[in-house]
Amino acid sequence: MEPAGGEPLAAIFRRLVANTGPISLMHYMGEANARYYSSRDPLGSAGDFVTAPEISQMFGELIGLWLADMWINAGREEPVHYVELGPGRGTLASDALRVARRYGLTPSIHFVESSTALKDVQLATVPGAQWHHDLSTVPPYGPVLIVANEFLDALPVRQLVKTPDGWRERMVVPDGDRFVCVAGPQPMDPAVPEARRIAPDGTIYELCPGAAATVYEVAGRLKEQGGAALFIDYGHDAPRDGSTLQAVRAHLKVDPFVGPGEADLTAHVDFAALAPIAQSRGVRWLGTVPQGRWLRELGIEARAEALAATAPEHAAAIHEAKDRLIGEGQMGLLFKVMGLAAPNWPGGAGFAG
């Protein structure tokens, strides 16, 4: 099937490699996801994957409660801005802002979104939202409350592989009906942290320049304007080796090197690398904790009981959704929550200890 963007991306890649040589894995992933997200609404049962806000309103509600609590304890400064990176269908923002309004928090709403396919859905869900291609056009005054749920994982990763000749970048070339990775010719040893350079041949070091740049920019905003940020994604909070690249289509894992642009390509977020980047800008790193623990400490179990009591006919579905969000074998352990705050802002609920 030919994608909505015109010529299949696989054909474009094959021609590019034939003319100029192998392309980097980062180039491959970036172009594939740009094509993918520009051409469809990937969310929901009819799409390719489901995110936490679509599973239950409790997820967004507790985020809204956390943001309101931070803002109140910081002194209720106005004007204040809600900023969401990759807001999906706007479900998280709708649930979070509904709860925040109960506590007097009525921020201006800003969505950083590149998908034209999702903007109409977001406008219907969150009237009054303003759109931005990046953070540069978000107001530079007043505290910012920033949320990024499953945003960093879709940013293209760079992979370096240890070879007998040293570290090389992983490049992509066609091989029959799919693509494969090969080691590039240029030495890349300086790009690998010194403590990790001595490794067995075949070791893969994965990094995400886009995630690093995003956290760096968000931290700078918090330092200058005040505010707090939540990054929620699947990933790890300790250094590790190996490729985490994966692809999902129609709710099933598929080969990331077949049909680029037709599946959602993601990689695990290296939270261990991101916390020091935020701290380098002088903001508070509140911690990085498993999603299940964070939601439990914010009261998701009590909220589920209250919802079930209000709508007993939906009680089973409510508790099933809660278990999916916090269960260690589901989203509770693999997904992490990283909190950041301006230097003069308080610590946040869910990060103690």
Side-chain angles (χ1 to χ4, degrees):
M1 182 180 72
E2 185 171 295
E7 184 181 8
L9 192 56
I12 296 174
F13 282 155
R14 290 174 190 279
R15 188 166 61 248
L16 182 62
V17 172
N19 291 335
T20 64
I23 60 173
S24 70
L25 179 69
M26 188 164 75
H27 182 176
Y28 176 91
M29 182 178 177
E31 292 291 338
N33 273 353
R35 170 72 71 93
Y36 175 80
Y37 281 102
S38 68
S39 61
R40 73 201 71 206
D41 175 357
L43 295 162
S45 57
D48 292 321
F49 57 89
V50 176
T51 59
E54 308 291 335
I55 292 171
S56 172
Q57 69 187 68
M58 295 182 286
F59 184 78
E61 289 173 343
L62 292 174
I63 288 174
L65 186 65
W66 190 89
L67 295 174
D69 181 62
M70 291 290 286
W71 176 71
I72 291 167
N73 288 329
R76 300 176 181 262
E77 184 181 343
E78 299 269 8
V80 59
H81 314 288
Y82 173 90
V83 182
E84 189 170 343
L85 311 182
R89 290 177 169 171
T91 306
L92 191 161
S94 177
D95 291 336
L97 293 168
R98 182 180 65 251
V99 170
R101 282 192 291 269
R102 298 176 192 167
Y103 298 92
L105 174 57
T106 56
S108 63
I109 305 165
H110 303 271
F111 287 163
V112 176
E113 178 61 76
S114 59
S115 170
T116 53
L118 286 170
K119 284 185 177 179
D120 287 342
V121 181
Q122 293 164 4
L123 180 61
T125 307
V126 189
Q130 302 173 56
W131 280 270
H132 307 266
H133 285 293
D134 54 47
L135 283 168
S136 66
T137 53
V138 171
Y141 52 84
V144 285
L145 303 172
I146 299 176
V147 178
N149 178 62
E150 290 198 54
F151 174 79
L152 298 178
D153 66 275
L155 299 178
V157 292
R158 187 181 195 187
Q159 290 184 352
L160 309 178
V161 60
K162 179 69 181 300
T163 74
D165 299 318
W167 289 92
R168 299 290 188 269
E169 183 156 13
R170 294 189 90 200
M171 311 294 283
V172 175
V173 297
D175 180 30
D177 293 334
R178 64 193 296 271
F179 292 84
V180 296
C181 285
V182 297
Q186 298 298 322
M188 298 299 296
D189 297 69
V192 179
E194 191 169 354
R196 300 179 70 172
R197 286 181 198 167
I198 300 176
D201 289 351
T203 299
I204 293 172
Y205 172 58
E206 188 176 82
L207 61 159
C208 185
T214 299
V215 169
Y216 184 85
E217 187 172 3
V218 165
R221 284 294 189 118
L222 297 180
K223 179 70 181 296
E224 293 298 319
Q225 296 175 231
L230 291 172
F231 288 93
I232 307 170
D233 231 310
Y234 55 90
H236 44 273
D237 55 6
R240 64 173 60 177
D241 295 324
S243 172
T244 68
L245 180 68
Q246 62 185 36
V248 171
R249 186 175 187 183
H251 304 273
L252 297 172
K253 286 191 175 182
V254 296
D255 187 338
F257 295 106
V258 172
E262 298 174 22
D264 177 44
L265 299 187
T266 61
H268 288 204
V269 176
D270 183 358
F271 285 103
L274 298 179
I277 292 170
Q279 291 173 304
S280 75
R281 304 217 70 180
V283 301
R284 300 184 63 189
W285 171 62
L286 304 179
T288 301
V289 299
Q291 175 178 293
R293 172 183 144 187
W294 191 77
L295 291 173
R296 280 193 298 271
E297 291 193 16
L298 264 65
I300 191 171
E301 289 162 319
R303 178 60 179 148
E305 292 293 345
L307 284 174
T310 303
E313 69 278 16
H314 298 302
I318 290 167
H319 287 293
E320 182 182 348
K322 174 205 68 179
D323 292 341
R324 189 171 174 187
L325 291 172
I326 68 175
E328 290 194 359
Q330 300 194 60
M331 299 177 75
L333 198 57
L334 178 60
F335 279 71
K336 307 293 191 297
V337 184
M338 182 173 79
L340 305 176
N344 59 338
W345 273 49
F351 293 104

